[in-house]
């Protein structure tokens, strides 16, 4: 098994194919909430069964504005404008090495942007953070 270079793992708006640009860190989290079934026959030990699953993606990176012609230079800005400010719609997102070598894994699913922020310190690189919450199934594809 090869060790994957984190630089190759990227997040895309798969509806437009746009890379969420200038991302410096990204994480995909998958949770499985168990449901408790402990009862008087459990001999003092907690018992559980399967429950709901959910997933989320968090990104942060260098933030860029539009260029002099008004074209967005940062996919994060485009994703925010299209999917939060204008439509408040879920969009399909891909997390992984899209277009990588055979055997690479890509996760995809529909997600809402739940938070977005920009930080701009004096004489520092402006950065953004985006949190996406999945709705429905997260699909794993091997290229």
């Amino acid at each position: 098994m090869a060790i994957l270079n984190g630089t190759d793992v990227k997040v895309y708006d798969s509806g437009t194919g746009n890379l969420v640009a200038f991302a410096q860190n990204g994480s995909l989290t998958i949770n499985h909430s168990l449901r408790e079934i402990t009862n008087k026959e459990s001999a003092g030990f907690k018992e559980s069964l399967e429950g709901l699953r959910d997933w989320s993606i968090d990104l942060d990176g260098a933030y860029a504005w539009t260029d002099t012609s008004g074209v967005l230079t940062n996919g994060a800005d485009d994703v925010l404008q299209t999917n939060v400010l204008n439509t408040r719609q879920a969009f399909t997102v891909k997390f992984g090495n899209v277009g990588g070598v055979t055997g690479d894994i890509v996760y995809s699913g529909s997600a809402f942007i739940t938070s977005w922020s920009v930080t701009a310190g004096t004489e520092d690189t402006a950065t953004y953070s985006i949190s996406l919450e999945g709705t429905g199934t997260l699909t794993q594809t091997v290229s």
Side-chain angles (χ1 to χ4, degrees), residues 27-131:
S27 64
L28 168 65
T29 303
I30 303 170
N31 297 306
H32 182 192
S33 301
L34 299 178
R35 53 191 172 107
E36 187 174 336
I37 61 162
T38 306
N39 58 65
K40 293 181 181 191
E41 313 306 306
S42 299
F45 288 93
K46 180 178 175 179
E47 292 186 87
S48 301
L49 286 175
E50 79 293 334
L52 293 175
R53 295 169 290 170
D54 64 80
W55 59 276
S56 62
I57 294 174
D58 292 297
L59 297 172
D60 64 72
Y63 185 75
W65 299 98
T66 57
D67 65 18
T68 54
S69 66
V71 175
L72 293 172
T73 58
N74 185 354
D77 199 8
D78 187 40
V79 167
L80 174 75
Q81 182 71 30
T82 303
N83 297 294
V84 173
L85 300 178
N86 292 344
T87 64
R88 298 185 301 171
Q89 297 288 319
F91 66 103
T92 303
V93 63
K94 290 184 178 181
F95 183 94
N97 190 5
V98 175
V101 298
T102 301
D104 282 349
I105 294 174
V106 175
Y107 295 93
S108 62
S110 187
F112 286 97
I113 296 176
T114 57
S115 71
W116 183 82
S117 66
V118 173
T119 302
T122 303
E123 295 299 319
D124 199 1
T125 301
T127 59
Y128 70 89
S129 292
I130 296 178
S131 294

